[in-house]
């Protein structure tokens, strides 16, 4: 006979959990005792539960495994709300284990009681509250299977303290088995017919392709058919950036070629993507001439925002394999490619050096990409630096760009990089963060320093909440209300000294000629986390841009420069 | 607003009704009436619900979102007999 807490640790070991990111507290204390003894599970002691949740997400995104975070009841559990919402939006498989007050006092407003299962109802795929310690192995096995199966997502397991200490006999669980959903042959046939008659097809690739491990299958299908590819923010790396058929990222800050391809397409082959408003712009004006094949593992995504002519319910890897073996003919795409090539030649991604002579943030990111290379993992916060990280890092493999796409969570980059580094210790991990975002979760650098997790952080320090400032510049007549962080003017905080205080190496770079040297210096540090304060100009803007509330045809390649797709595409 | 009458079978697991009701509120669905009664051999319940949807929304999308919930076993639009989402 053991106790519930021991059963929990054994159950987590049985599902091959190798690391838990967490913080103890009263209502989860019984679990930390047998955890102390586990030789299979590493516990990383975080500094904030939000960090624990984002670390679990980063770990899951980098490895494809289920990430696990743990917290006590009440405030510990409520601190997990943001990462759970993030994991829900971006379909990341994580399991959050929370302590709960003892069953007899549930509902009495006991000390540190919060009804976390109810609080997280709309942002979890499922939740379990354990009422019998004998159920623990089965609940854990199911929680892992639910998190990873079908469309992945976050699962909460809430365990009252008395259940953790109750005596129980451990019995092996029988985990439910999820099969990769296979598409119906009729749907595949219908898709193949549309593909055969299309003259301007585009593969519109979303994060589902990465989640299902379908990148090799995508490459095979794309090369077989010669169809152009665009990769959304969540799908950067699903198709090599160096590939001739890749037009880049679509959406609000996408390339002109990717946006133009969608707008002028006669057939979208949408894979594991959800027609998010940041991609479509005004829905009524999105890809007006296109028929749509939409493949997704979640039937509820099909026809949600855009009606599909052919909906295929299935795992992207299986769907792509089926399409590859079924596809017979593809139309002649030479005219289409000539138009797209002209578009990408006329409107390549690019930026000007700031007129005031300050360092260009895009240049910094371009150089980090060139020096750290495509085998590194990059995470980003949310803001201008995130968009530049999506645009100017060259991704060649899936799982190499991690960011909070759906929820847009500032503070994601550092803890997600921590989690990614734990999951992939042999890869270099760079968090490309903003000066605003970094101030939300940099405390996890103490965790990195003490636990031996040597990540690298590039703070793209533009002194401002830059993305908000960009909107104020464009839409509020340059009235910069509450966006100056004074990290330039007053140097509060001093990021170099802050890094040092957190046990990291702190470096600073303020001019273009120093960028390579400082990045290489950061790369030479192998046993400590490094923070580089890149002091960049505050006036750089993210281009291209489709302003919110407008259609994709209104894309601006840069201020005052609007490509006219109708003139560029003669039909 | 168009009314749709849905019938669901759900597992009697803690929180199942809360999950269904929260789905309605987070997906901006108006609930006009709802009943929850035991069904089967005590392990299932039957939910009959009338929801109001904007004219341009079909019940199809909502049924798929409901079917996605782990403890929802069956969803059907009572008025359009063909529309059934069944989960193993
Ligand atoms: C938690 C959270 N709060 C607020 C926002 C709104 N927001 C989006 S981008 C941004 C500015 C981010 O500033 P910084 O990290 O310096 O990045 P920059 O845009 O300057 O590169 C803000 C405040 C958000 N996305 N997340
Ligand atoms: Mg900033």
């Amino acid at each position: 006979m053991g106790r519930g807490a021991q059963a929990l640790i054994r159950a987590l070991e049985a599902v091959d959990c190798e690391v838990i990111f967490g913080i103890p507290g009263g209502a989860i204390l019984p679990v930390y005792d047998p955890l102390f003894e586990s030789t299979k599970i590493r516990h990383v002691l975080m500094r904030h539960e939000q960090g624990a949740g984002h670390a679990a997400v980063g770990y899951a995104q980098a490895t494809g495994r289920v990430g696990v975070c743990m917290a006590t009841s009440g405030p510990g559990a409520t601190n997990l709300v943001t990462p759970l919402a993030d994991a829900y939006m971006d379909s990341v498989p994580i399991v959050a284990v929370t302590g709960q007050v003892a069953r007899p006092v549930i509902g009495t407003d006991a000390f540190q009681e919060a009804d976390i299962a109810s609080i997280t109802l709309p942002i979890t795929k499922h939740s379990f509250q354990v009422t019998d310690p004998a159920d623990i192995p089965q609940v854990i096995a199911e929680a892992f299977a639910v998190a990873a199966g079908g469309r992945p997502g976050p699962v909460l397991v809430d365990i009252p303290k008395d259940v953790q200490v109750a005596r129980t006999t451990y019995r092996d669980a029988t985990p439910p088995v999820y099969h990769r959903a296979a598409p119906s042959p009729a749907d595949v046939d219908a898709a193949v017919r549309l593909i055969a008659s299309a003259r301007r097809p585009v593969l519109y690739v979303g994060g589902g392709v990465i989640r299902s491990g379908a990148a090799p299958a995508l490459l095979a299908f794309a090369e077989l058919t010669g169809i152009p590819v665009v990769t959304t923010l969540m799908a950067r790396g699903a198709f090599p950036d160096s590939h001739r058929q890749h037009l880049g990222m679509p959406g609000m800050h996408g390339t002109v070629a990717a946006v133009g391809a969608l707008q002028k397409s006669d057939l979208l082959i949408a894979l594991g993507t959800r027609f998010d408003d940041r991609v479509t712009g005004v829905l009524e004006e999105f890809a007006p001439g296109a028929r749509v094949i939409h493949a997704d593992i979640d039937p509820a995504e099909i026809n949600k925002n855009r009606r599909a002519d052919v909906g295929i319910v299935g795992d992207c890897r299986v769907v792509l394999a089926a399409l590859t073996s079924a596809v017979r003919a593809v139309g002649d795409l030479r005219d289409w490619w000539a138009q797209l090539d002209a578009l990408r030649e006329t409107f390549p991604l690019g930026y000007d050096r700031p007129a005031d002579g300050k360092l260009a943030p895009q240049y910094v990111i371009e150089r980090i990409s060139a020096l750290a290379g495509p085998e590194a993992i990059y995470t980003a916060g949310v803001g201008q630096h995130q968009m530049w990280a999506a645009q100017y890092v060259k991704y060649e493999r899936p799982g190499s760009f991690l960011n909070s796409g759906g929820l847009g969570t500032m503070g994601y980059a550092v803890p997600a990089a921590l989690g990614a580094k734990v999951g992939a210790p042999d890869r270099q991990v760079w968090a490309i963060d903003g000066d605003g975002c970094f101030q939300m979760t940099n405390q996890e650098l103490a965790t990195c320093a003490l636990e031996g997790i040597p990540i690298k952080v590039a703070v793209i320090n533009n002194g401002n909440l830059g993305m908000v400032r960009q909107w104020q510049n464009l839409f509020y007549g340059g009235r910069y209300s509450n966006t100056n962080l004074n990290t330039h003017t007053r140097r509060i905080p001093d990021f170099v000294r802050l890094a040092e205080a957190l046990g990291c190496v702190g470096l600073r770079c303020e001019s273009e000629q120093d960028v390579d040297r400082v990045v290489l210096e950061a790369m030479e540090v192998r046993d400590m986390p490094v923070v580089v304060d890149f002091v960049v100009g505050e006036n750089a803007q993210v281009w291209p841009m489709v302003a919110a509330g407008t259609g994709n045809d209104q894309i601006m390649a840069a201020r005052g420069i609007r490509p006219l797709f109708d003139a560029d595409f003669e039909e | 607003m168009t009314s749709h009458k849905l019938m669901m079978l759900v597992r009697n697991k803690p929180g199942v009704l809360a999950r269904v009701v929260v789905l309605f509120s987070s997906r901006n669905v108006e609930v006009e009436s709802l009943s929850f009664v035991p069904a089967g051999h005590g392990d299932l319940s039957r939910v009959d619900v009338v929801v109001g949807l904007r004219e341009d929304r079909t019940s199809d999308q909502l049924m798929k979102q409901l079917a996605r919930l782990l403890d929802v076993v069956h969803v059907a639009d009572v008025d359009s007999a063909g529309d059934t989402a069944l989960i193993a």
Side-chain angles (χ1 to χ4, degrees):
Chain A
M1 287 278 271
R3 296 185 187 271
Q6 285 161 309
L8 175 66
I9 297 305
R10 207 166 142 192
L12 287 167
E13 290 174 350
V15 292
D16 288 331
C17 165
E18 56 172 19
V19 59
I20 297 173
F21 304 94
I23 301 185
I28 194 75
L29 209 48
V31 172
Y32 272 79
D33 197 56
L35 179 57
F36 200 42
E37 272 166 19
S38 174
T39 51
K40 294 194 182 130
I41 300 176
R42 171 183 185 187
H43 181 272
V44 177
L45 176 61
M46 305 296 292
R47 292 300 178 270
H48 191 298
E49 289 85 357
Q50 183 188 352
H54 290 317
V57 164
Y59 171 88
Q61 285 180 307
T63 62
R65 298 164 60 96
V66 175
V68 182
C69 53
M70 192 177 274
T72 191
S73 67
T78 56
N79 275 348
L80 289 175
V81 168
T82 299
L84 284 170
D86 169 75
Y88 189 72
M89 287 287 256
D90 286 346
S91 304
V92 185
I94 65 166
V95 170
V97 179
T98 48
Q100 183 54 276
V101 299
R103 275 170 306 167
V105 296
I106 286 181
T108 66
D109 305 319
F111 177 63
Q112 293 194 328
E113 178 179 5
D115 181 3
I116 191 65
S118 294
I119 290 169
T120 58
L121 273 174
I123 52 167
T124 49
K125 191 174 168 187
H126 194 65
S127 41
F128 297 91
Q129 192 175 70
V130 186
T131 49
D132 181 345
D135 295 341
I136 288 175
Q138 189 63 27
V139 165
I140 291 298
E142 278 183 32
F144 269 63
V146 170
R151 179 179 183 170
V155 175
L156 176 81
V157 179
D158 196 37
I159 314 183
K161 189 171 183 179
D162 59 317
V163 176
Q164 298 168 33
V165 297
R167 296 210 164 268
T168 181
T169 306
Y170 183 91
R171 289 221 323 275
D172 283 329
T174 43
V177 188
Y178 281 86
H179 298 287
R180 282 180 179 266
S184 100
D187 292 340
V188 173
D189 279 352
V192 163
R193 277 196 300 278
L194 283 186
I195 291 168
S197 60
R199 290 293 167 269
R200 296 191 299 278
V202 182
L203 283 156
Y204 159 24
V205 173
V209 168
I210 291 179
R211 290 289 175 275
S212 66
L218 171 65
L219 186 65
F221 181 74
E223 291 194 333
L224 177 70
T225 57
I227 296 173
V229 178
V230 303
T231 51
T232 67
L233 182 65
M234 291 311 294
R236 303 289 293 116
F239 194 74
D241 276 351
S242 58
H243 199 288
R244 205 193 67 81
Q245 278 167 254
H246 198 175
L247 301 174
M249 180 171 76
M252 181 175 269
H253 294 298
T255 65
V256 173
V259 174
L262 292 178
Q263 289 308 94
K264 288 296 156 185
S265 170
D266 66 355
L267 178 66
L268 303 182
I269 308 167
L271 301 167
T273 192
R274 54 191 179 81
F275 293 82
D276 181 76
D277 55 84
R278 284 297 189 263
V279 169
T280 63
V282 169
L283 207 50
E284 292 68 35
E285 294 169 35
F286 175 65
R291 304 241 228 162
V292 173
I293 298 168
H294 189 180
D296 204 287
I297 196 160
D298 181 356
E301 282 303 333
I302 293 167
N303 296 328
K304 184 180 80 177
N305 291 343
R306 169 75 177 242
R307 200 187 69 78
D309 297 276
V310 176
I312 308 180
V313 178
D315 178 279
C316 282
R317 198 162 97 192
V318 188
V319 170
L320 276 162
L323 287 175
T324 303
S325 55
V327 76
R328 284 172 298 273
V330 184
D332 183 347
L333 305 182
R334 274 174 299 186
D335 284 353
W336 181 223
W337 269 116
Q339 292 170 334
L340 295 174
D341 282 337
L343 205 55
R344 67 176 156 186
E345 220 161 273
T346 317
F347 299 104
L349 258 187
Y351 58 91
D352 294 325
R353 301 286 196 278
D356 53 14
K358 289 184 180 157
L359 183 55
Q362 303 96 325
Y363 177 81
V364 171
I365 292 170
E366 224 169 39
R367 293 312 301 158
I368 292 173
S369 170
L371 296 167
E375 291 308 311
I377 293 172
Y378 301 85
T379 71
V382 170
Q384 293 182 311
H385 64 282
Q386 171 194 28
M387 291 299 117
W388 291 319
Q391 294 174 330
Y392 291 101
V393 176
K394 296 297 162 227
Y395 300 102
E396 295 291 314
R397 48 171 208 92
S400 56
F401 180 51
L402 319 182
N403 79 131
S404 172
L407 195 66
T409 315
M410 287 175 72
Y412 167 93
V414 167
L418 181 162
K421 183 71 181 171
V422 168
D426 297 334
R427 291 196 190 274
Q428 208 181 130
V429 179
W430 276 87
I432 296 178
D433 215 358
D435 47 326
C437 295
F438 184 68
Q439 292 188 65
M440 290 201 180
T441 50
N442 65 66
Q443 77 283 348
E444 299 307 344
L445 285 169
T447 312
C448 289
L450 291 165
E451 294 263 352
I453 306 168
I455 65 167
K456 315 210 184 292
V457 182
V459 180
I460 307 300
N461 178 4
N462 55 11
N464 283 274
L465 297 169
M467 185 57 96
V468 181
R469 187 175 189 273
Q470 172 162 348
W471 286 47
Q472 290 172 334
N473 177 298
L474 295 173
F475 311 122
Y476 292 89
R479 287 159 50 81
Y480 298 126
S481 170
N482 292 281
T483 39
N484 188 348
L485 292 167
N486 288 301
T487 41
H488 282 186
T489 48
R490 313 254 330 256
R491 198 158 268 179
I492 297 176
D494 179 327
F495 290 125
V496 172
R497 285 164 62 200
L498 178 62
E500 286 166 359
L502 290 164
C504 307
V505 174
L507 304 171
R508 180 169 286 126
C509 174
E510 303 188 69
S511 67
E512 196 165 308
Q513 62 269 22
D514 289 338
V515 171
D516 277 28
R517 184 184 55 73
V518 176
V519 171
L520 290 171
E521 192 179 336
M523 283 169 58
E524 264 155 35
V525 180
R526 301 202 186 266
D527 50 351
M528 283 169 82
V530 187
V531 176
V532 187
D533 179 16
F534 288 101
V535 182
V536 301
E538 68 268 34
N539 290 325
Q541 307 237 307
V542 184
W543 299 110
M545 180 166 186
V546 179
T550 70
N552 276 344
D553 285 343
Q554 313 296 316
I555 188 171
M556 305 295 282
R559 186 181 282 252
I561 301 175
R562 190 176 143 210
L564 293 172
F565 293 143
D566 283 334
D568 291 321
F569 289 87
E570 264 120 59
E571 288 170 32
Chain B
M1 217 42 101
T2 319
S3 297
H4 298 261
K5 209 171 176 183
L6 305 184
M7 193 282 281
M8 274 179 270
L9 286 178
V10 301
R11 287 192 192 93
N12 280 336
K13 291 282 176 70
V16 62
L17 182 61
R19 220 165 241 287
V20 168
V21 170
V22 162
L23 190 147
F24 290 142
S25 61
S26 48
R27 299 285 171 184
N28 201 10
V29 172
E30 208 165 275
V31 177
E32 293 168 5
S33 76
L34 186 143
S35 84
F36 188 91
V37 293
H41 305 286
D43 50 341
L44 296 179
S45 290
R46 178 185 163 125
V47 182
D48 287 286
V49 59
V50 179
V51 297
L53 294 178
R54 271 199 331 257
E55 305 299 330
D56 56 335
R57 282 175 81 177
T58 64
S59 63
D60 192 55
Q61 182 69 30
L62 178 62
M63 289 203 301
K64 287 178 183 167
Q65 284 164 342
L66 287 164
R68 195 156 75 165
L69 303 181
L70 228 64
D71 290 325
V72 172
V73 181
H74 179 84
V75 197
D77 185 323
V78 179
D79 300 320
S80 50
D83 282 349
T84 296
L86 190 68
I87 306 302

